[in-house]
Amino acid sequence: MDSATESEHIEKLIKEAESLKIKLEDERQKLNDITLASVADRLETITCINVKPRRVLKGHQAKVLCSDWSPDKRHIVSSSQDGKMIIWDAFTTNKEHALTMPTIWVMACAYAPSGTLVACGGLDNKVTVYPLSQEDDVSTRKKTVATHTSYMSCCVFPNSDQQILTGSGDSTCALWDVESGQLLQSFLGHSSDVMSIDLAPSETGNTFVSGSCDKMVLIWDMRTGQCVQSFEGHQSDVNSVKFHPGGDAVATGSDDATCRLFDLRADREIAVYAKESIIFGANAVDLSVSGRLLFAGYNDYTVNIWDTLKCQRVAFLYGHENRVSCLRVSPDGTALSTGSWDSTLRVWA
Amino acid sequence: MQESIICVKYYTKILLSSTVMDMVTTNLQQQRQITEQLRREAALRRITVSKAVEDIMKYITEHEQEDYLLVGFSSQKSNPFRERSYCTIF
């Protein structure tokens, strides 16, 4: 094909893309018959959130960057800028393992579903898996599974210990086989750093969501590697994404100081959680087990608790002395863990 | 003088046309991907926001009682992270 016909071809594609965009917006708008807050108007207001600070986990020497709950609802893994990964007993606040990583800025860590493996990685561009045991030195049994061409920002085990899904500064996500370290599928579609990923809450689910510095939220099919849906709306980096426990919506937190809710079946944004007084970016979001509460950790050291239906802030948690960088509701929904640049983790319940 | 300007212009044009060619080829691939993605998304079946909201509210209502961070514990004893009461023996 010579350059003239190629240009014509491109022009045709651009024209088609433009008309598809208009069509998409029209279709979405047609079905936008009501606002979430107006439906929720008749619900009772949440008056009293009895969540208190219960534990402070001290031991990291620098910023806490990521954390995850063990499926036993008791242990927490955390990773830090100091190059350490720590396994905590959150009941007693004891450190059960402290592992030194080959890199500083360990930006991601995750528990495997069995609770016997943890994975972590960061500026080393790798994800390393550690089998946990009381007997021998955990670090002697470590295994490098995945390598990206830029930093690894997030990782999660999709429903089994055998595979791991990663997100990276190289703007891709990837699925790896833990045993062989083989790349099973890559997910190309973002045009900037992937910051966060989350799996759809079904055991047979093959869907996950990713948030990126390109301001986009993408929904992926893990089997085909294809992007099936995309959500625009945020004005800045999307730092955190989390599926609603019902599985039909995703909550997001962004540097634009808002959190949002996107519905997969309505194929659009259905709520914005913002206040004039909140001007700092949201780094981490999670939902309570029913999905009624949205917890969001901000750069102004606070955790805001939003009523997802009425779109109002119902409470805020103050305790950290620096940015709240990560935040997770425990698997049974009894507690919330938060990690901060103040080098501590806190448990609220 | 005139000749050298023409020469430079010609040289630039050659340079440009080869890079333009490369750009066109990558642009074509990129644009094809963008358009194909939009075609897929345009073919999605959608529901009304009112129906989506109804289902979200239904899920919340069905699970509200297990949501301890929302409704609290019926007794603080069942909170695994409650402050422990210590017995002091004198």
Side-chain angles (χ1 to χ4, degrees):
Chain A
M1 216 187 300
D2 63 43
S3 122
T5 45
E6 279 208 20
S7 299
E8 268 173 39
H9 205 69
I10 291 177
E11 221 153 276
K12 251 169 88 181
L13 284 168
I14 289 174
K15 266 194 190 141
E16 187 188 346
E18 271 161 13
S19 70
L20 281 169
K21 271 186 201 160
I22 294 166
K23 188 185 155 207
L24 260 165
E25 210 30 65
D26 275 358
E27 293 284 321
R28 286 175 179 147
Q29 203 50 45
K30 248 187 252 166
L31 299 168
N32 188 23
D33 53 350
I34 210 157
T35 67
L36 176 59
S38 70
V39 185
D41 221 24
R42 60 187 157 90
L43 294 176
E44 270 180 57
T45 312
I46 300 168
T47 45
C48 159
I49 294 287
N50 195 25
V51 176
K52 294 193 175 113
R54 300 289 181 180
R55 301 286 189 277
V56 182
L57 309 179
K58 288 182 183 164
H60 280 297
Q61 305 296 314
K63 295 163 183 157
V64 175
L65 302 174
C66 188
S67 68
D68 192 19
W69 284 93
S70 163
D72 70 8
K73 305 148 206 143
R74 172 170 182 160
H75 291 87
I76 292 174
V77 60
S78 65
S79 64
S80 160
Q81 184 204 5
D82 65 7
K84 292 259 174 30
M85 177 172 73
I86 298 179
I87 308 282
W88 308 85
D89 180 338
F91 284 179
T92 63
T93 73
N94 289 339
K95 292 184 270 294
E96 293 197 351
H97 299 281
L99 302 165
T100 305
M101 302 299 299
T103 178
I104 52 164
W105 289 89
V106 189
M107 299 156 94
C109 61
Y111 254 105
S114 68
T116 60
L117 278 182
V118 287
C120 66
L123 275 193
D124 57 352
N125 303 356
K126 290 180 183 139
V127 59
T128 309
V129 169
Y130 293 84
L132 298 175
S133 76
Q134 298 299 336
E135 289 89 51
D136 46 24
D137 183 11
V138 169
S139 56
T140 59
R141 302 205 286 149
K142 72 174 180 185
K143 192 173 153 52
T144 302
V145 173
T147 310
H148 278 280
T149 57
S150 180
Y151 65 89
M152 207 196 52
S153 55
C154 47
C155 62
V156 59
F157 287 87
N159 312 316
S160 93
D161 287 20
Q162 272 89 55
Q163 295 181 350
I164 191 157
L165 186 65
T166 55
S168 166
D170 66 14
S171 69
T172 71
C173 301
L175 182 68
W176 311 84
D177 182 74
V178 170
E179 186 57 40
S180 66
Q182 205 188 342
L183 173 69
L184 300 174
Q185 184 70 261
S186 29
F187 304 90
L188 314 170
H190 281 296
S191 57
S192 187
D193 311 30
V194 176
M195 299 308 284
S196 175
I197 49 177
D198 189 41
L199 296 162
S202 142
E203 277 175 34
T204 53
N206 282 301
T207 306
F208 76 95
V209 58
S210 62
S212 158
C213 294
D214 64 9
K215 308 172 196 170
M216 297 293 288
V217 176
L218 302 183
I219 309 288
W220 301 90
D221 186 326
M222 230 186 293
R223 293 160 302 181
T224 63
Q226 235 170 32
C227 169
V228 289
Q229 251 176 302
S230 62
F231 296 111
E232 276 182 65
H234 278 298
Q235 306 292 308
S236 188
D237 302 8
V238 179
N239 295 320
S240 184
V241 290
K242 192 78 196 179
F243 259 96
H244 188 278
D248 291 326
V250 289
T252 57
S254 162
D255 271 348
D256 68 9
T258 70
C259 296
R260 292 171 198 239
L261 192 66
F262 296 93
D263 190 276
L264 271 61
R265 295 188 305 157
D267 192 34
R268 62 174 295 127
E269 175 189 292
I270 55 167
V272 181
Y273 309 104
K275 250 172 106 78
E276 233 172 82
S277 59
I278 299 172
I279 54 167
F280 288 89
N283 296 315
V285 293
D286 204 355
L287 292 141
S288 66
V289 291
S290 74
R292 180 75 189 261
L293 299 177
L294 174 71
F295 301 92
Y298 290 77
N299 283 344
D300 64 358
Y301 314 174
T302 60
V303 173
N304 287 315
I305 307 178
W306 297 92
D307 178 343
T308 54
L309 297 178
K310 286 181 173 286
C311 305
Q312 292 165 347
R313 184 173 70 176
V314 288
F316 64 94
L317 307 175
Y318 193 77
H320 281 297
E321 288 154 18
N322 206 326
R323 289 178 180 210
V324 179
S325 50
C326 57
L327 161 163
R328 296 305 271 272
V329 172
S330 72
D332 58 354
T334 54
L336 173 76
S337 74
T338 55
S340 161
W341 281 17
D342 70 7
S343 82
T344 70
L345 289 118
R346 282 158 207 256
V347 179
W348 315 74
Chain B
M1 185 70 187
Q2 196 71 16
E3 238 172 84
S4 69
I5 287 175
I6 291 168
C7 193
V8 167
K9 266 189 182 168
Y10 183 67
Y11 181 66
T12 324
K13 205 178 165 197
I14 292 171
L15 254 185
L16 273 177
S17 70
S18 68
T19 46
V20 164
M21 257 315 254
D22 290 347
M23 274 165 59
V24 164
T25 315
T26 49
N27 277 347
L28 180 61
Q29 278 168 349
Q30 274 174 2
Q31 193 53 47
R32 193 173 280 145
Q33 279 170 2
I34 292 167
T35 309
E36 274 168 11
Q37 180 64 33
L38 283 166
R39 279 184 202 149
R40 278 200 296 274
E41 291 192 39
L44 278 179
R45 277 207 294 180
R46 291 179 195 82
I47 61 169
T48 58
V49 171
S50 53
K51 173 71 177 125
V53 166
E54 190 189 313
D55 289 347
I56 287 175
M57 283 173 65
K58 186 162 169 267
Y59 186 91
I60 290 173
T61 317
E62 282 167 1
H63 294 85
E64 243 168 13
Q65 287 315 305
E66 319 148 21
D67 193 341
Y68 302 106
L69 290 168
L70 176 67
V71 296
F73 292 90
S74 50
S75 140
Q76 264 308 307
K77 273 188 183 156
S78 48
N79 181 349
F81 289 97
R82 72 186 184 278
E83 311 310 325
R84 278 156 214 278
S85 50
Y86 295 100
C87 296
T88 320
I89 302 163
F90 291 101

